[in-house]
Amino acid sequence: MGSTNSTLLKIPNVEVLMQETGFSPAHIIRLHDRFKALDKEGRGHLCPHDFGAIKELAMNPIGDRIIGAFFSPGKETVDFHTFVKILAHFRPVDKDRPKEPNSPEPINSRSNKLKFAFQLYDQDKDGKISRDELLQVLRAMLGMQVTDEQLESIADRTIQEADLDRDDTISFEEFRKACKHKRFTMFRFCIRPGERKLMLTLCHWSSELQDQHEL
Amino acid sequence: RSLQLEERKPSQQIAQRRVRKRRRLRKVRRRVRKSREEEERKQHVQRRRLSSSSDDNSEDESMSEGEMARLKEEVEEKKKLIATLRNKPWRMKRRLKCLKEAQAFVEKFEGALGKGKGRRLYAFKVMMTKKIIKFNRDFENFKTACIPWESRIKEVESHFGSSVASYFIFLRWMYGLNLVLFGFVFGLVVIPEVLMGMPYGSLARKTVPREEQDSAMDFSVLFEFGGYCKYSIMFYGYYNNQRSIGLLQFRLPLSYLLVGVGIFGYSLMVVIRTMARNANEGGDGAEEGTFTFCWKLFTSWDYLIGNPETADNKFASTTTSFKESIVDEQENLKDENIHLRRFLRILANLLILCCLGGSGYLIYYVVKRSQGFAKKDRNELTWLQKNEVEIVMSLLGLVCPPLFEVIAELEDYHPRIALKWQLARIFALFLGNLYTFLFALFDEVNSKLENEKEIKNATIWALKEYYTNYTLYNNVTENIPPPNISPADVIRGPCWETEVGIEFVKLTVSDIQVTYLTILIGDFLRAVIVRFLNYCWCWDLEAGFPSYAEFDISGNVLGLIFNQGMIWMGAFYAPGLVGINVLRLLSSMYYQCWAVMACNVPHERVFKASRSNNFYMGLLLLVLFLSLMPVIYSIMTLPPSFDCGPFSGKDKMYDVIMETIEKDLPPFMADIFSYASNPGLIIPAVLLMVLAIYYLNAVSKAYQNANLDLKRKMQMQRDEEKNRRNNKDSTNQVMKDLEDLMPNKSLIPPPSAEETEIPADQLRKSPKVTGKPGAAATGKGVHVQKDVSLAAANPRAPVTRPPGPRPPGPLPGNARGPPPGQGMGRGRGGPPPRR
């Protein structure tokens, strides 16, 4: 208990942070450990290249976007508070916890998670996923295997499926509608007690993983 | 606070129904009181616990202080609610619901609030839940790990698509089936005979005849399954007709017959059950078609992948699945001259029918000719004449499938459907093959039967001669010892069952050889040549003519199916055949997986096939029936050989059953069987079954229709929503604004009206647009215009077909939609008809 408290005391504004994110003290400590492990040079903040050490992200076709999501525009670093706040998106949705009627929506709510995922695709932050943005993602995912023509037809078809107001882009509302029917196990965030390892496990909807990496 | 609902006092209704309801109310109230008392008791206990033990600090601190306080408050509130529920002026139904909810809540969270034992119990519960989740996860992983070759098939699937994977899944399924058959045959027939039967050399049927003994161990003889192979447990002839063997009095002949029939029974059951299960599986997921691409795009990546090889596989599978979807899409979008297409399809079918008819006649003709040749002396015939049937058959098998494929190009089906047609056509061709084989076999069996009769007479004659001679020389008429001949020298019949078994085994083995050699030469060698000769060749071998081979799904599937037919037919005459087949399937799984991954390239049009393919199963069922018939026919009508096999000495093979019924079962069972085999009972039973099938069929049709209806309704609803959104967002808002603007409701928009309403429209349309600064500045008018005209083009009738992709040109509504003006405004005035 003593070590826990001392670690907690080192972090400023722990109470506020826990209030905002819903992490327990144990979580915060683990996250702090992980943060320190990622921050190899001990500067107290992380740079984009620090995230490259996470294998799962290096493999991911849109891994750089996920890393980018940690950095608010114009900033090159991320401190512990922001780090935890971003990771709070990855907490499982609390099903049983009663909600305060007037409290703000928790970070890990369904729609916030979806918003996070949406922003990964919406690169120019205009609230819509345009055809070009889809094409970028598709190029990253499919690479050289598919002709440009086919890529374009995939993008068109995707937009056409999701697009409800026929403006040839996918707005957040439409994105949510399209992903509504899939099982939503997005943003599993896992700190396994044994290995003290943080994994970013993002929006995977497959049912095989439904109870995997539950905290 | 779901409970803070508005208080409705339906006094009027209560007054109306009071008399009717009173009794029910009383009952319910009693129930409520009881549960409340229970709750109070629980609380009391809780309180006592609290006083007794309060120091229980658990290490599992998973909630913050604020949350705890909140939760506590909440629980208290619920408790209060439970206490005062009786006074609430609600309906009984609602009260009950509230009570149940509140009770569940209190029960769930009271423990979490650190109240004495409850706290510990809660911690324990949480721990157990975690453990259970972990265990379940591990168990699932274990189950997945237990599925044989799953990772291999996954790998193939990710590179070659689900169509190729479906072959391997079929192969795996077949392996499972054969393993069970192998268990039957070896457990109930072969091993008892080996353990408890008479050893080799004790009987004539278990001994190699004297004249063959010199060459019995030669490889060339063994390779043809002669010599020691022929007189081994692999074949029918080796088994003794002793009624029961060993200490256990194992009834081997009966077991042999029952296993022979049971193989068919089990296979039929498994095939039909699998088919039924597959048919059930296809039903779910009505939404599946609507968001295919969205889901693939946004959710296909597995974010847990940390291994580069897995990532490669995932990349491949994502690409493949996209390609599959593209093919499906293209098929949906194809709009062409339907009459031409129909004509071409009919033409193609005619051509293929001609081909099939021609090859059928050719086979018939050749078989007839060979029967003529068979009557002549074998030495006079040329090699060509001897092997005519085989040559024609293999030529047909070589030429026809590619020909069919070429003709199928005319039809231009979706590749999945094209594969089915191709399979069905080659299947018809292979049936000819089967027909000739069986024809030749029956001829042989008949000649053997005649031959056997002669030998049987000769044996009887020799035995009689021996007895008379013995009496003559020794002057003894009784207690004559049996003739003292070594089992190798006994006169023996041709044993047609063993011959048939040898034919089947030979066929299977040569099939294995041909398949493996084809893969080695046609795929591997070709791939090696193309790969390495490409460095020094005048044209591009990889992209040009020889290229790499594609995996031939239809050929492989049919090969597997017909091979299985051979096994089913041959297993009765050669119990060892099942073992050979198991080995073959096992090796072919590894070999073909390797060959596919190493030497083949994916199909040009990868298409999606369901993981459980009922079409293959249907073909298998057909082959099963076809192979069932000759075996059953031989069991029921042909006389078994007199000196070999478990049924020797009987008139018919099924006499074993009669014997068992007579000797081993109590007499009333025999009566029952004789009644049951009465045609008067069988015919009504068959009739009943036919009626049941008819009824069930009708019911399933009705369900299918209902299902289709529901699907269509869902689609309609979705489309309607799409339309409604579209209209509400644009036109209706516009029109409403217009109406607001104009007090006289003339709805004649002045030219400037459009300009004035645009900002309002933009504001109201959706908040998401307002966040987009660029769009508002560029082309406002165009935007609105587009929406309006699109809405106008929207038909009000429900759309039953999913919309095709938008053509790249101008939007369809723009050309013919009425200009946003008076007429349209009137038309759109009323609310859309909605259900």
Side-chain angles (χ1 to χ4, degrees):
Chain A
M1 257 341 198
S3 69
T4 312
N5 282 334
S6 63
T7 320
L8 276 183
L9 285 176
K10 269 187 244 159
I11 308 162
N13 289 331
V14 163
E15 286 299 321
V16 181
L17 196 61
M18 287 195 293
Q19 193 76 37
E20 276 177 14
T21 58
F23 280 123
S24 72
H27 290 162
I28 296 276
I29 289 162
R30 275 181 204 153
L31 282 177
H32 196 252
D33 288 351
R34 180 64 179 171
F35 184 80
K36 278 194 292 190
L38 284 175
D39 179 20
K40 288 195 192 70
E41 293 149 38
R43 289 160 307 191
H45 54 75
L46 295 179
C47 291
H49 63 84
D50 288 329
F51 284 92
I54 304 174
K55 260 194 314 191
E56 281 77 14
L57 284 180
M59 294 298 154
N60 198 321
I62 58 167
D64 49 343
R65 295 185 180 206
I66 299 173
I67 296 171
F70 280 88
F71 300 92
S72 50
K75 269 188 161 179
E76 283 297 301
T77 58
V78 52
D79 60 355
F80 183 64
H81 269 248
T82 329
F83 180 71
V84 172
K85 268 185 205 160
I86 299 283
L87 282 180
H89 283 113
F90 294 77
R91 276 184 65 221
V93 184
D94 314 308
K95 291 184 205 97
D96 310 324
R97 304 277 163 87
K99 274 181 243 135
E100 287 285 326
N102 47 3
S103 70
E105 213 177 350
I107 301 176
N108 59 338
S109 77
R110 240 179 106 90
S111 66
N112 271 337
K113 285 182 177 194
L114 268 176
K115 201 163 264 168
F116 187 86
F118 180 75
Q119 276 161 7
L120 293 181
Y121 294 101
D122 179 23
Q123 284 287 284
D124 55 4
K125 307 266 180 282
D126 64 349
K128 287 167 175 227
I129 301 176
S130 69
R131 191 165 170 276
D132 286 335
E133 283 158 354
L134 276 186
L135 275 177
Q136 280 175 21
V137 176
L138 279 171
R139 281 212 183 89
M141 275 174 71
L142 304 181
M144 297 289 104
Q145 301 263 345
V146 179
T147 62
D148 272 356
E149 203 178 312
Q150 280 174 325
L151 280 183
E152 276 169 26
S153 75
I154 293 172
D156 283 341
R157 185 74 177 110
T158 312
I159 288 176
Q160 193 213 335
E161 274 173 4
D163 192 15
L164 289 171
D165 56 5
R166 311 206 174 186
D167 58 351
D168 282 342
T169 53
I170 300 175
S171 66
F172 175 62
E173 194 60 28
E174 288 157 356
F175 181 77
R176 195 166 70 178
K177 274 231 157 61
C179 297
K180 182 173 68 178
H181 301 289
K182 275 273 186 183
R183 201 197 144 74
F184 186 68
T185 60
M186 178 178 178
F187 295 97
R188 289 295 157 136
F189 159 60
C190 165
I191 322 168
R192 285 187 199 145
E195 19 185 308
R196 298 263 162 132
K197 179 182 176 186
L198 176 146
M199 275 217 287
L200 287 165
T201 65
L202 199 109
C203 60
H204 195 270
W205 274 269
S206 88
S207 55
E208 303 153 27
L209 286 166
Q210 52 184 305
D211 69 6
Q212 225 159 335
H213 309 290
E214 201 88 60
L215 202 66
Chain B
R1 302 318 162 84
S2 57
L3 292 164
Q4 288 181 349
L5 301 163
E6 83 286 27
E7 293 202 354
R8 254 182 323 124
K9 190 161 186 177
S11 58
Q12 203 181 341
Q13 288 171 5
I14 287 178
Q16 278 172 359
R17 301 178 191 166
R18 187 163 291 159
V19 186
R20 248 188 301 141
K21 269 179 134 184
R22 190 161 290 160
R23 196 174 299 161
R24 195 147 51 95
L25 268 174
R26 212 177 297 145
K27 214 189 281 174
V28 174
R29 227 173 253 155
R30 212 178 302 140
R31 217 183 304 157
V32 171
R33 204 179 306 139
K34 211 189 256 172
S35 54
R36 252 194 62 208
E37 276 163 12
E38 213 168 282
E39 189 58 39
E40 271 169 4
R41 208 168 47 232
K42 244 187 242 162
Q43 283 180 19
H44 186 65
V45 171
Q46 207 78 55
R47 244 172 271 135
R48 251 200 330 204
R49 271 186 202 153
L50 188 69
S51 61
S52 68
S53 70
S54 55
D55 53 338
D56 179 29
N57 55 337
S58 168
E59 63 289 336
D60 207 310
E61 182 81 14
S62 62
M63 268 184 295
S64 66
E65 292 300 319
E67 259 182 359
M68 292 274 276
R70 204 148 32 107
L71 203 59
K72 206 172 205 165
E73 212 174 278
E74 197 95 2
V75 169
E76 284 306 318
E77 204 168 297
K78 294 266 172 177
K79 277 186 186 163
K80 213 162 73 192
L81 181 85
I82 292 170
T84 58
L85 193 72
R86 206 176 174 190
N87 310 330
K88 293 263 196 262
W90 292 344
R91 291 225 198 145
M92 222 54 233
K93 213 174 180 180
R94 189 172 156 198
R95 268 196 240 186
L96 268 179
K97 198 172 153 226
C98 276
L99 183 74
K100 262 185 203 144
E101 272 176 12
Q103 278 176 348
F105 187 89
V106 168
E107 205 157 306
K108 193 161 188 186
F109 288 107
E110 209 169 28
L113 290 174
K115 286 194 178 172
K117 281 232 177 69
R119 171 79 171 148
R120 206 180 288 162
L121 194 72
Y122 178 75
F124 179 71
K125 251 196 218 161
V126 167
M127 202 184 69
M128 280 318 285
T129 347
K130 275 182 184 170
K131 284 258 161 68
I132 286 173
I133 288 174
K134 189 169 174 346
F135 175 77
N136 278 343
R137 187 160 71 223
D138 288 348
F139 188 65
E140 285 296 322
N141 286 347
F142 176 72
K143 268 202 304 199
T144 320
C146 278
I147 302 173
W149 305 306
E150 184 69 8
S151 60
R152 234 164 237 281
I153 291 175
K154 275 261 153 50
E155 201 180 340
V156 170
E157 185 172 11
S158 61
H159 283 95
F160 290 86
S162 45
S163 51
V164 175
S166 73
Y167 164 72
F168 284 99
I169 289 164
F170 188 55
L171 180 64
R172 184 176 65 186
W173 185 87
M174 207 71 114
Y175 178 72
L177 173 70
N178 275 286
L179 220 52
V180 175
L181 299 188
F182 177 78
F184 275 145
V185 171
F186 272 68
L188 293 175
V189 174
V190 176
I191 290 178
E193 174 71 23
V194 171
L195 292 181
M196 303 187 279
M198 294 171 97
Y200 173 82
S202 57
L203 283 172
R205 67 187 69 179
K206 299 191 179 200
T207 321
V208 180
R210 180 91 49 203
E211 63 266 28
E212 287 177 29
Q213 265 176 5
D214 296 336
S215 63
M217 232 9 217
D218 291 359
F219 180 73
S220 62
V221 176
L222 285 180
F223 193 67
E224 297 266 293
F225 296 97
Y228 285 108
C229 256
K230 189 175 169 185
Y231 301 95
S232 71
I233 43 156
M234 264 188 77
F235 294 107
Y236 171 92
Y238 183 80
Y239 294 85
N240 198 358
N241 65 339
Q242 226 177 338
R243 216 175 135 242
S244 57
I245 53 171
L247 281 173
L248 300 171
Q249 298 295 308
F250 188 74
R251 305 265 191 283
L252 188 81
L254 180 70
S255 159
Y256 196 101
L257 187 77
L258 289 184
V259 165
V261 177
I263 281 178
F264 286 107
Y266 177 76
S267 307
L268 267 179
M269 202 183 73
V270 168
V271 170
I272 288 179
R273 214 183 51 194
T274 313
M275 281 179 83
R277 205 175 42 222
N278 290 351
N280 278 345
E281 257 172 25
D284 61 342
E287 284 286 332
E288 218 152 72
T290 49
F291 286 123
T292 356
F293 279 93
C294 279
W295 289 349
K296 282 218 171 81
L297 180 56
F298 293 129
T299 71
S300 59
W301 187 259
D302 185 343
Y303 287 83
L304 299 175
I305 291 174
N307 175 5
E309 225 165 282
T310 324
D312 277 353
N313 270 355
K314 190 72 198 173
F315 265 116
S317 85
T318 314
T319 313
T320 316
S321 79
F322 262 116
K323 276 183 179 164
E324 287 173 355
S325 294
I326 290 173
V327 169
D328 281 356
E329 254 342 279
Q330 278 171 349
E331 208 55 34
N332 284 342
L333 304 181
K334 210 193 272 173
D335 61 334
E336 81 292 317
N337 190 343
I338 187 101
H339 295 295
L340 179 70
R341 185 62 51 217
R342 268 187 202 147
F343 169 72
L344 282 178
R345 280 181 186 172
I346 289 170
L347 184 73
N349 274 316
L350 271 181
L351 282 177
I352 282 170
L353 272 184
C354 287
C355 279
L356 280 178
S359 50
Y361 179 73
L362 192 65
I363 292 169
Y364 175 76
Y365 176 75
V366 172
V367 169
K368 268 263 167 310
R369 242 164 80 100
S370 76
Q371 277 174 330
F373 289 140
K375 281 178 191 133
K376 291 183 197 161
D377 188 16
R378 276 189 80 77
N379 296 332
E380 286 173 25
L381 299 175
T382 58
W383 178 83
L384 194 69
Q385 281 170 328
K386 267 193 244 173
N387 293 308
E388 205 174 43
V389 180
E390 283 78 14
I391 292 169
V392 167
M393 291 307 308
S394 34
L395 271 182
L396 280 180
L398 215 63
V399 171
C400 277
L403 189 69
F404 290 167
E405 217 159 296
V406 170
I407 295 174
E409 292 279 304
L410 280 181
E411 295 178 313
D412 199 21
Y413 277 123
H414 182 280
R416 194 176 346 167
I417 302 164
L419 175 72
K420 283 187 183 177
W421 278 100
Q422 176 79 354
L423 276 172
R425 284 162 186 165
I426 302 177
F427 185 83
L429 186 75
F430 277 19
L431 277 186
N433 212 333
L434 204 66
Y435 152 80
T436 46
F437 178 73
L438 287 182
F439 213 83
L441 213 59
F442 263 99
D443 267 0
E444 205 181 303
V445 166
N446 279 333
S447 68
K448 283 261 159 65
L449 278 175
E450 274 167 30
N451 187 9
E452 193 188 63
K453 245 179 234 162
E454 284 166 22
I455 292 175
K456 195 179 173 183
N457 288 340
T459 348
I460 292 168
W461 175 253
L463 207 63
K464 270 186 182 160
E465 210 169 28
Y466 164 76
Y467 282 134
T468 29
N469 284 344
Y470 197 88
T471 344
L472 263 178
Y473 288 123
N474 301 358
N475 271 332
V476 190
T477 49
E478 275 165 25
N479 283 336
I480 303 171
N484 187 18
I485 313 171
S486 145
D489 298 325
V490 176
I491 308 168
R492 55 182 86 199
C495 196
W496 62 269
E497 290 97 336
T498 298
E499 291 299 323
V500 172
I502 287 177
E503 283 297 317
F504 277 111
V505 173
K506 264 199 240 169
L507 203 74
T508 308
V509 169
S510 73
D511 186 41
I512 297 171
Q513 287 163 354
V514 168
T515 316
Y516 284 14
L517 279 181
T518 318
I519 291 173
L520 205 61
I521 295 168
D523 289 344
F524 182 63
L525 211 63
R526 178 168 157 189
V528 167
I529 288 172
V530 167
R531 175 79 178 75
F532 291 104
L533 239 58
N534 203 23
Y535 295 122
C536 48
W537 204 260
C538 23
W539 70 81
D540 190 2
L541 284 173
E542 282 182 340
F545 162 57
S547 166
Y548 297 104
E550 283 181 358
F551 186 77
D552 176 17
I553 304 171
S554 53
N556 275 304
V557 166
L558 281 180
L560 201 59
I561 287 174
F562 274 88
N563 170 60
Q564 191 60 37
M566 292 293 151
I567 304 303
W568 275 322
M569 276 193 275
F572 188 73
Y573 305 108
L577 188 59
V578 188
I580 294 178
N581 193 41
V582 166
L583 286 183
R584 177 231 168 109
L585 293 178
L586 187 66
S587 60
S588 124
M589 189 79 202
Y590 289 104
Y591 184 55
Q592 284 194 308
C593 265
W594 164 78
V596 160
M597 293 303 286
C599 342
N600 286 6
V601 286
H603 289 249
E604 209 170 315
R605 295 176 77 193
V606 189
F607 61 91
K608 194 159 75 192
S610 57
R611 269 176 84 83
S612 46
N613 210 325
N614 251 2
F615 190 72
Y616 299 165
M617 288 290 163
L619 291 181
L620 194 68
L621 192 65
L622 198 57
V623 166
L624 179 56
F625 267 113
L626 289 179
S627 51
L628 177 75
M629 273 183 294
V631 174
I632 295 295
Y633 172 79
S634 73
I635 289 177
M636 298 308 277
T637 57
L638 294 181
S641 303
F642 75 100
D643 63 344
C644 70
F647 310 114
S648 54
K650 300 202 168 49
D651 282 344
K652 296 282 184 302
M653 291 178 186
Y654 66 83
D655 283 349
V656 176
I657 296 178
M658 300 292 158
E659 194 185 70
T660 310
I661 290 172
E662 273 170 26
K663 291 190 184 167
D664 289 348
L665 295 180
F668 74 92
M669 291 293 278
D671 285 347
I672 291 175
F673 276 109
S674 71
Y675 287 136
S677 59
N678 191 343
L681 265 177
I682 289 178
I683 291 173
V686 168
L687 214 62
L688 193 70
M689 272 197 267
V690 168
L691 289 180
I693 288 171
Y694 172 75
Y695 170 72
L696 290 178
N697 198 24
V699 168
S700 83
K701 276 250 173 63
Y703 280 136
Q704 246 171 18
N705 280 341
N707 233 340
L708 271 182
D709 257 11
L710 284 177
K711 248 182 209 170
R712 207 176 303 139
K713 260 182 202 159
M714 279 172 86
Q715 181 68 34
M716 250 160 67
Q717 229 163 23
R718 204 179 109 77
D719 288 340
E720 208 166 79
E721 191 198 6
K722 226 172 181 175
N723 285 346
R724 205 168 59 212
R725 274 182 76 87
N726 206 13
N727 292 333
K728 204 161 58 190
D729 280 354
S730 53
T731 14
N732 281 7
Q733 284 302 342
V734 174
M735 284 306 134
K736 261 184 214 148
D737 291 347
L738 271 178
E739 276 174 8
D740 288 347
L741 277 175
M742 255 147 286
N744 57 356
K745 306 218 180 229
S746 71
L747 278 182
I748 302 171
S752 61
E754 205 178 51
E755 298 294 321
T756 51
E757 39 95 319
I758 284 162
D761 163 52
Q762 286 266 338
L763 275 175
R764 196 172 298 201
K765 198 166 116 193
S766 50
K768 62 190 180 259
V769 183
T770 51
K772 187 178 160 188
T778 60
K780 279 181 200 167
V782 176
H783 202 68
V784 172
Q785 176 103 11
K786 189 172 87 180
D787 277 349
V788 168
S789 53
L790 255 179
N794 254 337
R796 265 299 140 90
V799 184
T800 49
R801 211 163 46 85
R806 219 160 292 137
L811 286 149
N814 266 345
R816 53 194 168 84
Q822 185 190 12
M824 202 191 77
R826 285 206 194 285
R828 293 272 169 266
R834 222 167 284 161
R835 273 179 294 121

